[in-house]
């Protein structure tokens, strides 16, 4: 059966930590709303047949206007109070006939079509795969009053990123189960929803820059890298 992929982009967060007066995913980055870079990457990925974007509640029309030409490339749905609820609402809007679901955070605008496809292909005989990177730093566990309680071995520790890709039927089942059991809200990423359902998920190392924009300094770095990519210039 031919692979049909629905891409879900989570863009329902606020811009408080950026000091922005608009939702973070719609802050301009290198001439486009941040989320537009992820939309372009998903639309350029072989096998992607639709893109659904979860946006802040009550702001669908505002977001559609803000997206300009990109609005015609996606379906917009209202997100929820938590990331996992936003994912569930966007998932419900996808075509039942898709074979795979890719979930990506708009806050990672450096994603490329090549990375998206590598994560999908990385599923192999598992039920899902996620972009990830080995933890490079020494990890400390905090004790009382901010004192170090112990050093945690970083062997085998990976930092989860997006995109995350899953077999559509398995992911739908896992989300439905988490919702029924009342644990959906507590899921910080989609892989944890699959893990709670006993579904195997693979780690796929992503060596390329896959920065998550959280602070103003991140925004400046992302803008420089995206401008260089768009202009075909060197990335320093």
């Amino acid at each position: 059966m031919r692979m049909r992929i629905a891409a879900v982009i989570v863009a329902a967060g606020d811009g408080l930590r950026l000091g922005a007066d608009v939702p973070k995913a719609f802050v301009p980055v290198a001439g486009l709303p941040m989320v537009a870079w992820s939309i372009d990457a998903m639309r350029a990925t072989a096998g992607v047949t639709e893109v659904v974007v979860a946006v802040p509640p009550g702001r669908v029309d505002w977001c559609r206007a803000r997206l300009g030409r990109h609005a015609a490339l996606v379906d917009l749905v209202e997100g929820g109070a938590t990331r996992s609820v936003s994912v569930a609402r966007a998932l419900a809007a996808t075509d039942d006939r898709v074979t795979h679901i890719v979930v990506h955070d708009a806050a990672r605008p450096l994603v490329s079509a090549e990375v998206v496809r590598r994560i999908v292909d990385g599923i192999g005989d598992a039920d899902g795969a996620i972009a990830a990177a080995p933890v490079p730093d020494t990890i400390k566990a905090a004790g009382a009053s901010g004192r170090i309680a112990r050093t945690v071995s970083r062997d085998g520790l990976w930092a989860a990123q997006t995109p995350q890709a899953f077999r559509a039927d398995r992911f739908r089942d896992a989300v439905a189960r988490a919702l029924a059991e009342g644990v959906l809200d507590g899921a910080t990423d989609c892989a944890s929803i699959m893990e709670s359902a006993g579904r195997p998920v693979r780690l796929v190392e992503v060596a390329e820059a896959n920065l998550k924009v959280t602070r103003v300094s991140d925004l400046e770095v992302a803008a420089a890298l995206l401008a260089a990519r768009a202009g075909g210039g060197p990335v320093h």
Side-chain angles (χ1 to χ4, degrees):
M1 182 172 58
R2 184 171 66 91
M3 186 179 291
R4 293 167 56 91
I5 304 168
V8 167
I9 300 176
V10 187
D14 59 42
L16 294 180
R17 280 186 287 183
L18 284 178
D21 57 359
V22 298
K24 179 166 70 172
F26 294 86
V27 171
V29 182
L32 293 173
M34 189 187 306
V35 66
W37 293 98
S38 294
I39 292 171
D40 284 343
M42 297 301 161
R43 295 298 303 179
T45 301
V48 170
T49 57
E50 61 179 313
V51 179
V52 180
V53 181
V55 300
R59 304 196 73 166
V60 170
D61 290 341
W62 181 92
C63 292
R64 183 176 290 113
R66 191 85 174 191
L67 280 174
R69 64 178 177 83
H70 284 86
L73 304 176
V74 300
D75 294 320
L76 302 183
V77 300
E78 286 194 17
T82 65
R83 180 188 186 280
S84 52
V85 171
S86 295
V87 170
R89 291 182 178 180
L91 179 64
T94 60
D95 193 322
D96 289 340
R97 295 170 294 180
V98 299
T99 60
H100 294 75
I101 304 290
V102 171
V103 182
H104 184 63
D105 291 337
R108 293 187 185 273
L110 294 170
V111 68
S112 66
E114 291 75 18
V115 167
V116 177
R117 190 65 206 202
R118 184 157 22 110
I119 304 306
V120 174
D121 291 342
I123 293 174
D125 59 359
D127 290 333
I130 70 169
V135 173
D137 301 314
T138 299
I139 304 298
K140 303 291 186 181
S145 303
R147 294 182 179 179
I148 296 172
R150 66 185 185 280
T151 299
V152 180
S153 173
R154 67 189 181 198
D155 291 346
L157 294 182
W158 290 65
Q161 303 177 1
T162 65
Q164 301 188 353
F166 310 99
R167 299 187 189 279
D169 55 346
R170 314 288 171 79
F171 187 51
R172 292 187 201 279
D173 287 347
V175 170
R177 176 184 294 192
L179 185 60
E181 294 176 352
V183 298
L184 182 66
D185 281 357
T188 55
D189 77 338
C190 295
S192 61
I193 297 173
M194 294 288 277
E195 292 166 48
S196 67
R199 298 292 185 181
V201 178
R202 295 187 182 281
L203 296 164
V204 178
E205 185 171 359
V206 175
E208 298 93 329
N210 194 24
L211 174 72
K212 182 177 182 179
V213 174
T214 303
R215 301 174 180 83
V216 173
S217 57
D218 301 327
L219 194 65
E220 294 169 350
V221 172
L225 292 172
L226 288 167
R229 180 190 295 177
V235 177
H236 299 290

